[in-house]
Amino acid sequence: MQRNGETAKACGENGVDRMLIILLFLGNTGIEVRIMTDAMMQGKPYFCPNCRSNRVKFSVMTMYSQSFMKDALTGAISATDEAQLVPEPEPNIQCRVCGFTGNELRFIKQAEREPRY
């Protein structure tokens, strides 16, 4: 596991490694840790449609919404609500080489168009 808490490897079935993504969120109550496994994503190869060189380094992008109120004169935050996960029909994937972000299907289709032999 890396020290910064971003990623860790866990041993899956039959000794196959699979990547776990650990997200840290800072809030009023402290640090919240969420672990995303490959159950949220399809088990198919990715290939970045932008840089066309990356097949292994990706991030899953997740959106949260948090309501708050500000004082009109001072700009100080007077009230906040808990952050809530914004439901998405398909996960957004980011290439960690070039920074391109798109839906998961774009990365899968690009890998199907240009398979690795």
Side-chain angles (χ1 to χ4, degrees), residues 33-53:
V33 178
R34 295 186 187 267
I35 300 176
M36 302 170 63
T37 65
D38 51 291
M40 300 174 76
M41 299 173 287
Q42 295 185 30
K44 296 182 179 179
Y46 291 165
F47 187 42
C48 179
N50 187 50
C51 68
R52 298 176 68 166
S53 65

Side-chain angles (χ1 to χ4, degrees), residues 62-81:
T62 306
M63 291 195 322
Y64 282 82
S65 174
Q66 183 175 19
S67 301
F68 62 93
M69 294 181 67
K70 287 186 114 182
D71 184 88
L73 298 175
T74 64
I77 296 175
S78 59
T80 61
D81 291 339

Side-chain angles (χ1 to χ4, degrees), residues 11 14 18 22 31 34 39 43 46-47 51 54 59 73-74 85 107 116:
C11 190
N14 300 326
R18 62 188 170 113
I22 300 173
I31 298 176
R34 295 186 187 267
Y46 291 165
F47 187 42
C51 68
N54 181 22
S59 297
L73 298 175
T74 64
L85 178 65
F107 288 85
R116 186 169 204 142

Side-chain angles (χ1 to χ4, degrees), residues 60-113:
V60 178
M61 308 301 287
T62 306
M63 291 195 322
Y64 282 82
S65 174
Q66 183 175 19
S67 301
F68 62 93
M69 294 181 67
K70 287 186 114 182
D71 184 88
L73 298 175
T74 64
I77 296 175
S78 59
T80 61
D81 291 339
E82 288 294 319
Q84 297 177 354
L85 178 65
V86 176
E88 299 178 47
E90 185 174 338
N92 284 324
I93 306 298
Q94 181 182 37
C95 173
R96 289 180 28 205
V97 172
C98 70
F100 174 77
T101 302
N103 64 14
E104 181 184 33
L105 194 56
R106 280 188 79 174
F107 288 85
I108 291 172
K109 290 296 182 187
Q110 186 67 29
E112 289 172 356
R113 278 192 287 273

